[in-house]
Structures are given as C-alpha cells and as structure tokens.
Amino acid sequence: MFETDLNTCMKPFNTFFIFICIVCLGACKKDSIIVSPDASLITSTELVQFDTVFTTVGSVTQRFTIVNNNDQQLNISSIQLKGGAQSPFKINVNGNAGVQFSNMLMNSNDSMYVFVKLTIDPNNQLNPFIVTDSIEIGYNGNIKKVQLQAYGQNARFINGGHISSNTTWNNLLPYVIMKPLTIDTGITLSISEGTKIFCHATAPIIVHGTIKAQGKYYDSTRINFRGDRLDANYKDMPGTWPGIVFTNSSIANELHYTNILNAYQAVVASGGESLIPAKLQLHNCIIDNAYDIGLYAFNSSITATNCRITQVGNEGQPGVGGSNIIINGGGKYSFNHCTIATYANYYQNHKQAAVYISNAGGASSLPLQFSMDNSIIYGQGGLAENELVTHKEGNAAFTINLRNVLYKVKTDQANISFTNCIKNADPLFDTINTNLRQYNFRLRLGSPCIDAGITGGPATDLDGNGRPVGTKADMGCYEKQ
C-alpha cells in the first residue's frame, strides 16, 4: 500500500523533472555556439546597388541584414570591406563604423544591420562609370560575399549665385545646381541639345533675363531639368526641387524639346502680357510629375505647342495650387496640340481642376485672352469634378476659345466658346497604370481624339513623327502612327 502511494506521488514529480530537463536542454542548445561548416547564414541581398551618384556628393545610405537562422548561436569571425579605407564605400555594422569587424556573436534567429554609403572622387571620364567593391562575411570557415556597385558621374557643380554674362551650357557633363541660381536681367543662358541639369532641393532657377533651350526630339538630345536625387526611393518622387521662375523682367524665353521633371512648381511666369513674341515659348516640352503646379502664369504671355503637362497636383486650393495649369491675373495664352492630364495616385491626389483660368489680379481684374486648339484636358480618380474651371471678375475683356479639344467637366464653365469639342469622352491613352505609375499618353486605336483635330498646325508631334497621319490631325501632343 505504501509503495503504491509512493509511486503515485512520484509521477507528478517525474513529469515536472522531465519538463525542466527539456527546457534546460533547449536553453543550453540555444546558448551553445554552432561550429559546423554546414551552419547557415542568410543576407537579405547579394548586391547593394546605387543609381547614379555625382562625384564629390555623398550618396544616400542603403542597408542589408545578416541573419543567423540556426537554432544555436553563430560567431561571425569577420566582416570586411575588401577595398579597405581607400574604398569609396563606407560601412557601418550595428552602429559601428569601420572597414573590418571581428568575432561578432549572433544569437539564434537574430539579425544585424549593415549600412552602406559612398562618395566618389572625380576623374576625367565624361560618360557614367561603374564603381565596385564587396563585403566579405566569414563564419565557420565559410566566406559569404555581398557585392557593392554604383554608377558614378562627373559633373559641373554650380553653388548658386548669379549668371551675369551671356553663357552657354553644353552636354559634355551634367550641371548640378546646389543653391538658388539667378540669371540676371538682360543676360541670356543658352542651353545646347542633350544638356542635363540637376537641381538640389533648395535650388530654384530664377530667370530675370532669358533662357534659350534648344533640344531635339531624340531622348538623348532632349534637355532635362530635374532634381539631383537619383536613388531609387527619390528619383521619381514629385517635388524634389523647386522649379524655374521667369520673373517680370524676363523676356523672349524659348524652350524646345525640354523636359522639366519632378519639381514642386515646375514653371512659373509673371508679367509680360503684351510681349511679342510671347514671354515664354514652349515647343515640344514635357512638364511631368510636379507636386503642386505644372505651369503657373500671372498676367503673362505663353505660347505652347506639342507640349505634355501631366501627372501634377497634390492638395491645393482653386487657383492657388494642385493643378496642371493655373492662370491668374489675365494675360495672353495660346496652346496647340497639348495633352494636359492627371490620374490620381499616391503622390498626386488630384483634388483640383487640371486647368484653372482667371483674370483676377488681387483687388482688380485684368484682360484675358486664352485659346486652345487640338488638345486634351482630362483627369481621373481624384476629387476634381471639373477639369476645366474659369473665374471671371469685373468688366475687363475675358475671352476663352476652345477648338477641337477633348475636355472633361461635370458642368460647362461660363465665358468659354467651344468649337468642335468633345465633352467627357475617355481619350483612351495607350497605357495608364496608377499602381505601377506607368503612364503612356500616346493614343491607342479607337481613341476619339484620332483625326479629330484641325490640320494646319505643327507638322510633327512631340515624338518628331509627321502629322497628320490620317485625314486630319489628332488631338493632343502625340499623333497616332
């Protein structure tokens, strides 16, 4: 009887003892260090790659992780930047900078961060060049490598200031504008085909004088203005630089085959409403991916042909911001074969009209003369009900003529004369994918814009293709081929 009771009493104790042993053995295993060459080590990438980095300008920091996915501790015997202290790359492991690290113990299923950045020294190359190095990770007699690669580019750096004599920029090397740059009154900056201008986040270009930009229709010969952040997270982000401002004193500006990309307010023009030729002539230009405004004018004069002003507008108020085109204070404007469109996405919520036209000039009203032919005004996915909005004040002359224009509105605006226009039809652009931010504003078969324009305009389209292809010209900046 006593023996039976003792056995019964011992059973809970045995069970508890076994449980404690299992826990202790498991803990001992996790505390032990795996020394087998078959131990596993994972890195989150095998290649850390940087997009174009300008010489002497430091890059953004990228990172990867090293993961011990074993059920025991693992000793990392070494982490080494193979180029050493002379490498253009710099690394930081778990908060410590250096070129070589030894005996770093990692717990089971733990990870550590490796941060990488670089600064490239200038050389005599005109074309982009590749800079490489590697990081070697040693453990248990094994070597694991992570390759480092960057595209370097020599450039001409302009630390702001003034252009005070007639100057020509060429395409031998890019220009990087680090601080606000001013073109003085009476001075002309001529820009040759294929020139690339990159502007820092605090570097607007302010034009009191004149810009003559003479690009051509090939991608390699177009002139490009854009922000200087070219890393993957920023290169296609709107608002990475302020934009170009043509002040009251500026005259006779011509931009041919010029791209103005990723600005906050891409182009601003004020004054010069009576200038002949117009204060600003835009021919075959692309203004794209601006955060606030694509083209803003106040009591100015602008001529635009074969231009694309697309994917613009975040937040804003009517006539203040958030539109592809805003015209205030009257002036004289002529648009022919232009495509003006925004599809709402994560960066452009498209709350305001694509085109806003007003003659209001503070406490007064000013004369307005606006014409648009063979063009497209369209938007989708945002809160804007009318893609074309007008605002008239006072008794000043107010003339808006649209001929052969496809436009989208809920309610037609007052004070507009429409001739052969198409209202509220989908233009059927070639490819629109807002999730992937893919936008091809050429026309696809079946578009109501095909053969819907007026023949007699520019003989080529934005791509340099002949126009017209059919019986009449197409609406918009592209002619369906």
Side-chain angles (χ1 to χ4, degrees):
M1 179 76 177
F2 175 77
E3 184 178 352
T4 302
D5 291 342
L6 180 61
N7 290 336
T8 302
C9 293
M10 287 295 291
K11 286 181 180 179
F13 175 78
N14 289 339
T15 302
F16 178 74
F17 178 76
I18 292 169
F19 172 76
I20 292 297
C21 289
I22 291 171
V23 171
C24 290
L25 286 171
C28 290
K29 186 174 184 180
K30 288 183 178 180
D31 289 339
S32 65
I33 299 175
I34 187 170
V35 295
S36 169
D38 295 330
S40 175
L41 183 72
I42 297 174
T43 56
S44 58
T45 185
E46 294 180 351
L47 173 65
V48 176
Q49 189 171 46
F50 294 81
D51 290 314
T52 303
V53 177
F54 294 113
T55 56
T56 75
V57 177
S59 71
V60 296
T61 299
Q62 297 200 43
R63 71 180 185 184
F64 67 92
T65 55
I66 302 172
V67 180
N68 172 21
N69 64 334
N70 302 283
D71 60 1
Q72 300 177 64
Q73 291 181 324
L74 178 68
N75 183 53
I76 308 295
S77 55
S78 67
I79 299 175
Q80 182 179 8
L81 178 64
K82 293 301 292 181
Q86 302 306 312
S87 174
F89 296 92
K90 304 299 177 187
I91 65 172
N92 181 301
V93 179
N94 274 0
N96 298 306
V99 296
Q100 187 165 357
F101 306 82
S102 301
N103 296 321
M104 304 185 73
L105 192 63
M106 293 183 66
N107 290 327
S108 169
N109 297 309
D110 199 2
S111 62
M112 65 175 64
Y113 286 104
V114 179
F115 298 89
V116 185
K117 64 179 181 178
L118 80 154
T119 301
I120 301 175
D121 290 332
N123 57 31
N124 60 358
Q125 294 189 43
L126 298 179
N127 295 322
F129 52 91
I130 298 177
V131 178
T132 61
D133 203 342
S134 65
I135 297 172
E136 283 192 358
I137 304 163
Y139 66 100
N140 294 5
N142 299 311
I143 295 292
K144 194 175 187 67
K145 288 188 177 183
V146 174
Q147 302 295 331
L148 308 178
Q149 184 182 86
Y151 292 92
Q153 173 68 72
N154 291 302
R156 289 169 282 204
F157 294 90
I158 298 178
N159 197 28
H162 291 254
I163 296 177
S164 55
S165 61
N166 292 338
T167 301
T168 297
W169 286 356
N170 60 39
N171 60 14
L172 291 179
L173 286 173
Y175 293 83
V176 180
I177 315 302
M178 303 301 294
K179 293 180 180 179
L181 177 67
T182 299
I183 302 169
D184 288 344
T185 302
I187 299 303
T188 296
L189 171 63
S190 300
I191 305 176
S192 303
E193 62 181 75
T195 301
K196 295 178 173 60
I197 300 102
F198 298 87
C199 296
H200 200 57
T202 55
I205 297 176
I206 302 165
V207 186
H208 298 310
T210 300
I211 288 182
K212 301 280 190 184
Q214 298 289 337
K216 293 183 179 179
Y217 60 81
Y218 295 111
D219 286 345
S220 62
T221 55
R222 296 187 70 92
I223 293 166
N224 282 276
F225 291 86
R226 62 177 303 155
D228 65 349
R229 291 291 298 270
L230 301 180
D231 46 295
N233 292 331
Y234 287 90
K235 66 179 180 179
D236 294 320
M237 183 177 289
T240 57
W241 67 291
I244 306 172
V245 179
F246 298 93
T247 66
N248 286 339
S249 63
S250 180
I251 61 171
N253 298 283
E254 296 182 27
L255 275 60
H256 297 264
Y257 290 102
T258 298
N259 298 341
I260 303 170
L261 310 175
N262 308 342
Y264 184 79
Q265 293 180 347
V267 177
V268 175
S270 61
E273 76 286 354
S274 60
L275 290 175
I276 300 175
K279 177 190 190 77
L280 176 60
Q281 298 179 60
L282 302 171
H283 301 294
N284 304 289
C285 293
I286 295 175
I287 298 173
D288 187 68
N289 202 36
Y291 182 88
D292 188 43
I293 303 172
L295 174 62
Y296 179 88
F298 186 91
N299 194 223
S300 194
S301 57
I302 296 174
T303 297
T305 59
N306 281 340
C307 289
R308 201 187 91 197
I309 305 174
T310 49
Q311 291 310 114
V312 177
N314 192 64
E315 300 297 339
Q317 297 295 324
V320 178
S323 295
N324 299 52
I325 296 175
I326 293 178
I327 292 171
N328 280 318
K332 296 181 180 179
Y333 308 92
S334 174
F335 292 80
N336 193 4
H337 283 293
C338 293
T339 298
I340 301 152
T342 293
Y343 288 76
N345 60 34
Y346 181 80
Y347 294 105
Q348 285 108 1
N349 56 28
H350 188 48
K351 290 184 177 181
Q352 304 302 322
V355 177
Y356 178 93
I357 306 169
S358 171
N359 70 335
S364 61
S365 62
L366 298 166
L368 172 74
Q369 182 178 324
F370 180 98
S371 67
M372 179 175 284
D373 299 332
N374 307 315
S375 296
I376 299 169
I377 301 173
Y378 195 77
Q380 198 176 100
L383 298 179
E385 293 184 333
N386 297 303
E387 300 297 347
L388 173 62
V389 171
T390 64
H391 176 71
K392 181 180 184 298
E393 288 191 4
N395 297 317
F398 191 96
T399 303
I400 300 178
N401 291 311
L402 269 60
R403 298 189 305 165
N404 298 70
V405 173
L406 182 147
Y407 69 104
K408 181 183 177 183
V409 293
K410 182 178 180 179
T411 305
D412 273 329
Q413 302 291 290
N415 306 302
I416 301 178
S417 173
F418 295 97
T419 304
N420 296 326
C421 292
I422 300 174
K423 179 180 176 181
N424 292 338
D426 190 326
L428 296 181
F429 294 122
D430 183 274
T431 305
I432 301 294
N433 188 322
T434 56
N435 291 329
L436 297 178
R437 297 183 71 199
Q438 294 176 344
Y439 305 98
N440 182 345
F441 292 99
R442 295 168 182 84
L443 304 174
R444 67 176 187 250
L445 288 175
S447 169
C449 301
I450 295 175
D451 292 347
I454 306 167
T455 300
T460 57
D461 71 356
L462 181 56
D463 284 333
N465 294 320
R467 176 192 284 133
V469 170
T471 57
K472 295 181 180 179
D474 299 344
M475 293 175 175
C477 60
Y478 296 110
E479 183 79 4
K480 177 63 178 175
Q481 301 300 299

